[in-house]
Structure formats: structure tokens, C-alpha cells
Amino acid sequence: MTNEANTRQKILSAAGPIFAKRGYQKATVRDISVAAGVNLASINYYFGDKSKLYLELLRQARDHQGGGLDFPPVDGSIDAEELLERFVTVLLRKLGLGEEPNWQMKLLVNEFLAPSEAGRQIVEEYFAPYFESLLTIIDRIAGRTLSRAERLRRGFSVIGQCLHYRLASPIISMLAWQEESEGAFDVEPLARHIAAFSVAGIRGSLESATNVRQ
Amino acid sequence: MTNEANTRQKILSAAGPIFAKRGYQKATVRDISVAAGVNLASINYYFGDKSKLYLELLRQARDHQGGGLDFPPVDGSIDAEELLERFVTVLLRKLGLGEEPNWQMKLLVNEFLAPSEAGRQIVEEYFAPYFESLLTIIDRIAGRTLSRAERLRRGFSVIGQCLHYRLASPIISMLAWQEESEGAFDVEPLARHIAAFSVAGIRGSLESATNVRQ
DNA sequence: AACTATATTAAACGCTCGTTTAATTGCAAG
DNA sequence: CTTGCAATTAAACGAGCGTTTAATATAGTT
């Protein structure tokens, strides 16, 4: 009993970073067992199989994804534009701009981009509330009632800009090779740009939005 | 001689869609040989190994990526905002919104997101000119001279919005489940939204851009 | 001390993969 | 007809993978 929780926990601790770094397919149970300092067969003994271990880690990541980088509450006391910039800042940080993201966030982002059948629901449970709070910020910036489709498109425009810096980072560093761009893609200036761009975009696309058939 | 080009071509034709659909890792040489109607060993006979076949296909994709969806020339005779909307429309189509993209584009996008050592240069050669032409459109919309960093950030904001619909499509269909959103994410209305959002974003972020330290 | 349920271990199983081998075919040149 | 070379084939190789097994060790109970 004293050891059950022990090796089980050792497996979980070792597997998280490995799954996050290599992805589900390329992460091998042998690597995990070695990193955990436990026998190979222990993984199947405690978790049944590789996929169940992965699912357990995904649930852990959803439930307490460490880091303390939680989005500020969306209340009425703060300027909406300021709120958006904070939202973008936190999201960029969570996505790993500036520093390495923790394995929990990596796992969730991986599932976000290529959901497995089992992981789909978990990711939805994690991201949906954040996305909805972004939509309320957008409502306040727009200043008028938007249709569901209008809100979604503006929300995706914000999220898309942020995700791009995490997804296309190899290409970005290829194109942004100049020394003059020094620091231009650090979190703070980047968040300022995305927030300013988006505030103008949200407001500016309002008049034309009424003409868009949907 | 009559047969050399024959089986070689059969392999190339069969391998393209398979690599595009499954990705490099999950695509197996056995699947390819069966689909091509060719002996398993022929692949190594003609191409050396799996990675060299893949590289050959990547080069093919870069050189003549079919579909006739080329971006319109960026000349001065057309309104810059109109140009941007066309650019976005073509990009969304290339990315496979609305219909299945051809395997050439899929290969290039896959490499774009997770470049292999060998493929990195090929992807850069393909995307760089398109990206630069987007930057000139942005210049005209901005109406004043931008620094390299300012141009890049605005370019990435446009590209990021477009890519998001290809990358996060599973999540998007999860969040946009409503019937009222019917048609709101088809190519044309989506392109109109992204173009309008971006034009406003490009112009609106100009005044604050001067205050951003970089 | 003997028993029992649990935990750990080394080894092997069965499968898939990319690749290689060695034999055979097809065909044009001498 | 025979020689020689390119092309094709069936088969196997060897490595890596997730998983299973069967034996052993450990600790709690009576």
C-alpha cells in the first residue's frame, strides 16, 4: 500500500512531460518506465494500457493545470480593452510564448489541435468557459448585441492570432530573422499588438457585419 | 525503360495522397505499395528510402501545386481592401475550407506546422513570396511606412486568423454547434469577415503602434 | 509460522514497421 | 541462342512497439 501510490505517482510524474514533449504516438511506455524508475510492466498493471494512462494525465491537466496564470474575472469594473489585453497576455503565456509551458498545457493544446476520441470532451470542458469569457469581453468592446455567428467569428479572430504564434513558431522565426525585430515578439509587445489590432477589428467590422449574409 | 518511369510514377501518384492524409509517420510504405499496385521493394529500389520519396513529393508540391488558385497579382489598379479579401479567400480555399484541399497543399501545410529538417527550406521557398505579397497589401492599407516588425505582426495577424480555421476545425465545429450559425463559416462570408476585421485592425492599431517599444 | 493478496520483476509474445536479400523475369545487344 | 543488365518479386530480416505471462518478492492477517 505504501508502495502502490508511490510507483503509480512516479509513473504519472514521469509520463506527463514525456507525452507533452513527444506527443502520444512517439512517447513510448519504455521511455516512461525508465524515466519513472519503475518496471515496464507496472504501467499496464496500474493503468491497464498506454491510452488509459494518457487519459488520466489529460484529466489531471484539465483539473489543475498549474502555473497560476488564470484569466482575470470579467467584471464590469475594468475597461474592456484592458481586459482583452490581459486575456491575450495570459493566453500567450499559457501557450508558452516567452518561456516553456508546463506539460499540462502542452497536453491540452495537443488535444486541442488533434483531438482523440477520448480527449475531445476533456478539452472542450477546459476551453469552453475561457472562450465564453472572451466572448463577453468582445460583446463589451463591440458595444452592441451581436449574433452568435458574429461573436464566434470575432472570438476566433482573437484566438487565431494568439495560437498562430505557438503553432507557426518555426516559420515565424524563419521570416522574422531580422535583428531590427529584436523583442518585437516578446509577450508584452505582442499582446499589445494583438489587443489593439483586435479592438479595432471588432469595432471596425461592425458596420460591414450587418451586410454579411449568414 | 518503358516500365521504369511507369512504376516510379505509380508510386509517386499513390504516395502523395497517402502522405497528405496520414502524415509522414503514419503513412506506411506497405500502404503506398498496395495503393500503387507495385511491389513493396520497388519504393526502396527507385527512391532509396521512405524519406527520400517524401522529399521528392515535397519538391513536386512546391513546384506545381495544382488547383489554379493562385493569388492575384498585387498591382496598383485594384483597391487594397479588395485585394486583401481576395488574398484571404484564396488562402482559405487553399487551406481546404469548403472543399478538400489537394494533397500538394496538405503536404506543404503539414511541413509548415511541423517542419522536418529537410522540408523546412522547401516550405520557406513556397510561402515566403506569398507572405511578402501580403505585406505589400498591408502597406497599402496602412497608408504609411511601417517598420519590419510592424509589418510582420500585422501579416501574422491575418495569416493566423486564416490558419485557425484549418487547424482548430474540430474545436470550431464543437463550439459553433448552433443552427443559427448556418453558413456563417463558409468561405465567402468568412473571408469578408477576416478582411474587414483585418483592415480595421491594421488601421486601428497604427496610432498605438508608435507607443510600442520594440 | 503459514497463508494470502498484492506488488514487482525479467522475459517473452505478437505485431508492425522500414529495409534488405536473393532469386527470377524481361528484354535488348552481341 | 546466349549473355548481361535493369526491373520485379517473394521472403525474410531486424528493430521497435504495446502488451502479457509466469515467477518471485513483499507485507498484512490469522
Side-chain angles (χ1 to χ4, degrees), chain B residues 78-118:
Chain B
I78 311 179
D79 182 37
E81 305 190 19
E82 172 71 17
L83 267 179
L84 182 64
E85 187 173 318
R86 287 195 205 172
F87 184 93
V88 170
T89 303
V90 171
L91 181 55
L92 288 178
R93 285 238 167 77
K94 285 203 179 200
L95 289 173
L97 269 285
E99 68 211 293
E100 270 296 285
N102 54 34
W103 63 262
Q104 290 91 338
M105 196 61 197
K106 279 188 175 178
L107 242 57
L108 290 168
V109 172
N110 286 352
E111 278 295 315
F112 181 88
L113 298 172
S116 59
E117 196 52 42

Side-chain angles (χ1 to χ4, degrees), chain A residues 30-45:
Chain A
R30 281 179 173 80
D31 285 345
I32 293 171
S33 70
V34 169
V38 304
N39 186 273
L40 171 64
S42 305
I43 293 175
N44 295 55
Y45 181 80

Side-chain angles (χ1 to χ4, degrees), chain A residues 97-116:
Chain A
L97 270 284
E99 66 211 297
E100 269 296 285
N102 54 35
W103 64 262
Q104 289 92 338
M105 196 60 196
K106 279 188 176 180
L107 242 56
L108 290 168
V109 172
N110 286 353
E111 278 295 315
F112 182 89
L113 298 173
S116 61

Side-chain angles (χ1 to χ4, degrees), chain A residues 164 168, chain B residues 95 109 112-113 158-168:
Chain A
H164 185 253
Chain B
L95 289 173
V109 172
F112 181 88
L113 298 172
V158 174
I159 299 282
Q161 291 178 72
C162 299
L163 268 175
H164 185 253
Y165 285 94
R166 144 93 200 221
L167 299 173

Side-chain angles (χ1 to χ4, degrees), chain A residues 1-147:
Chain A
M1 192 49 167
T2 153
N3 270 351
E4 173 197 338
N6 218 323
T7 58
R8 206 187 124 93
Q9 195 50 47
K10 280 197 280 185
I11 292 170
L12 284 170
S13 303
I18 292 181
F19 275 125
K21 180 173 184 182
R22 308 245 244 256
Y24 179 79
Q25 295 280 356
K26 290 192 176 181
T28 75
V29 290
R30 281 179 173 80
D31 285 345
I32 293 171
S33 70
V34 169
V38 304
N39 186 273
L40 171 64
S42 305
I43 293 175
N44 295 55
Y45 181 80
Y46 282 107
F47 298 95
D49 59 23
K50 182 186 177 186
S51 73
K52 296 210 187 78
L53 166 61
Y54 179 73
L55 210 61
E56 175 89 15
L57 286 165
L58 218 53
R59 270 189 273 262
Q60 273 200 15
R62 175 201 53 190
D63 290 341
H64 43 283
Q65 164 261 330
L69 278 177
D70 267 312
F71 296 109
V74 181
D75 57 30
S77 67
I78 311 178
D79 182 37
E81 303 190 19
E82 173 72 17
L83 266 179
L84 183 63
E85 187 173 318
R86 287 195 204 172
F87 184 95
V88 169
T89 303
V90 172
L91 182 55
L92 289 177
R93 284 237 167 78
K94 286 204 178 199
L95 290 173
L97 270 284
E99 66 211 297
E100 269 296 285
N102 54 35
W103 64 262
Q104 289 92 338
M105 196 60 196
K106 279 188 176 180
L107 242 56
L108 290 168
V109 172
N110 286 353
E111 278 295 315
F112 182 89
L113 298 173
S116 61
E117 197 51 42
R120 171 162 289 173
Q121 191 191 350
I122 291 178
V123 176
E124 184 178 11
E125 287 169 10
Y126 180 76
F127 279 107
Y130 286 129
F131 189 70
E132 291 299 328
S133 76
L134 169 63
L135 292 188
T136 69
I137 298 176
I138 287 174
D139 281 338
R140 283 181 50 195
I141 292 175
R144 71 162 174 83
T145 307
L146 301 175
S147 74

Side-chain angles (χ1 to χ4, degrees), chain B residues 92-182:
Chain B
L92 288 178
R93 285 238 167 77
K94 285 203 179 200
L95 289 173
L97 269 285
E99 68 211 293
E100 270 296 285
N102 54 34
W103 63 262
Q104 290 91 338
M105 196 61 197
K106 279 188 175 178
L107 242 57
L108 290 168
V109 172
N110 286 352
E111 278 295 315
F112 181 88
L113 298 172
S116 59
E117 196 52 42
R120 171 162 288 173
Q121 191 191 351
I122 289 178
V123 176
E124 184 180 9
E125 287 168 11
Y126 180 75
F127 279 107
Y130 285 130
F131 189 70
E132 290 300 328
S133 76
L134 169 63
L135 292 189
T136 68
I137 297 177
I138 288 175
D139 281 337
R140 284 181 50 194
I141 292 175
R144 73 161 173 82
T145 306
L146 301 175
S147 74
R148 175 77 184 168
E150 287 174 322
R151 301 171 82 220
L152 285 175
R153 283 197 295 231
R154 282 158 186 76
F156 291 152
S157 282
V158 174
I159 299 282
Q161 291 178 72
C162 299
L163 268 175
H164 185 253
Y165 285 94
R166 144 93 200 221
L167 299 173
S169 57
I171 300 292
I172 287 173
S173 48
M174 267 172 25
L175 294 167
W177 72 100
Q178 315 267 31
E179 308 78 21
E180 50 166 319
S181 307
E182 191 67 44

